[in-house]
Amino acid sequence: MSELRPHAWIRPDSLRLQIAFLSSSDSKRCPTHDALVKLHQEAGRDATEASSIAAEGDRLLLFGWRRADPDRDGRAVHLTLIGAPGPTWHQSTRLWPLAQAAGLVFVPSPQKGYEGYGQDQAQHVRPYLEAGFPLAVAYLRSGRPEWEAEELTELLGLQGAAVFTARRDTGAGLRAALDHVVTDALKAFNEGRVQHAGLVDVPALPS
């Protein structure tokens, strides 16, 4: 197992997992932003208010979501969903969410003509896949000329990843991708394959 291990924040009565949503465009045109907005709407009263944090000329969108089902030891499971936007990999908008993540949802654009951006980011995502990190690929469909999911996944070099398609306008299908990653993250936790980030409520925000 490589050093790319999921993180978890643990308290006697609760477990907190941070799930990072990653795409290759900035937050103004970002599929991850759209994905998080739709998931926040779906979470309803189980979610905290969404926060938008300025970071290096871009913005991080995040919110908390308490899952209905506890973990196997009866702990409440709290998720922190956070977007990691931006075309430049080595910025805090991307590195901070990923460094403390329990799982990753990669949201490349399926639109034809944008595959190059996805390929640039996929080379950084691939080591997570190879390390067995909890991960899913989600394609948000908008009705424009788009790649087929299987074809684009192969083009990105992410064969073997769990792949989901969702509607960009409604978010239908996103929950399945999130649930897949959370299930894998909980499995990693139960098998002792996580880095314990400490007995804290929430990860520190970037300065």
Side-chain angles (χ1 to χ4, degrees):
M1 189 72 174
S2 84
E3 62 186 19
L4 294 174
R5 292 192 297 158
H7 284 65
W9 287 266
I10 306 164
R11 301 188 70 191
D13 60 347
S14 64
L15 173 67
R16 185 178 297 275
L17 305 173
Q18 179 166 297
I19 309 300
F21 283 69
L22 166 69
S23 70
S24 56
S25 58
D26 63 38
S27 57
K28 294 179 181 178
R29 300 178 297 275
C30 184
T32 65
H33 181 274
D34 291 348
L36 288 173
V37 167
K38 299 303 182 186
L39 286 169
H40 187 255
Q41 292 170 350
E42 181 176 346
R45 294 182 179 180
D46 292 329
T48 64
E49 184 177 351
S51 299
S52 182
I53 304 168
E56 294 190 14
D58 214 319
R59 303 200 69 82
L60 297 170
L61 180 67
L62 71 156
F63 65 92
W65 188 349
R66 176 170 174 154
R67 283 173 57 94
D69 299 324
D71 74 354
R72 70 175 188 182
D73 296 319
R75 296 186 187 91
V77 178
H78 297 270
L79 306 179
T80 299
L81 275 56
I82 182 168
T88 303
W89 183 264
H90 300 288
Q91 286 188 325
S92 62
T93 47
R94 196 175 302 293
L95 295 182
W96 175 74
L98 290 175
Q100 303 185 77
L104 169 63
V105 180
F106 182 39
V107 195
S109 172
Q111 187 175 341
K112 290 190 174 181
Y114 286 78
E115 59 275 4
Y117 299 106
Q119 288 175 310
D120 288 343
Q121 297 303 316
Q123 66 179 320
H124 299 289
V125 174
R126 206 168 296 124
Y128 289 84
L129 177 63
E130 294 170 351
F133 196 86
L135 183 149
V137 179
Y139 298 117
L140 296 187
R141 299 293 190 191
S142 61
R144 298 172 181 174
E146 294 170 334
W147 291 88
E148 292 298 325
E150 183 177 353
E151 191 177 17
L152 182 54
T153 302
E154 183 175 353
L155 186 64
L156 298 178
L158 297 176
Q159 299 93 322
V163 176
F164 299 83
T165 58
R167 290 183 55 177
R168 189 162 187 164
D169 58 347
T170 66
L174 279 170
R175 179 68 180 269
L178 173 62
D179 286 347
H180 174 86
V181 171
V182 172
T183 297
D184 276 3
L186 288 171
K187 181 180 179 181
F189 174 76
N190 292 331
E191 294 176 352
R193 295 187 288 110
V194 302
Q195 299 183 50
H196 293 180
L199 300 172
V200 295
D201 280 328
V202 294
L205 299 179
S207 57

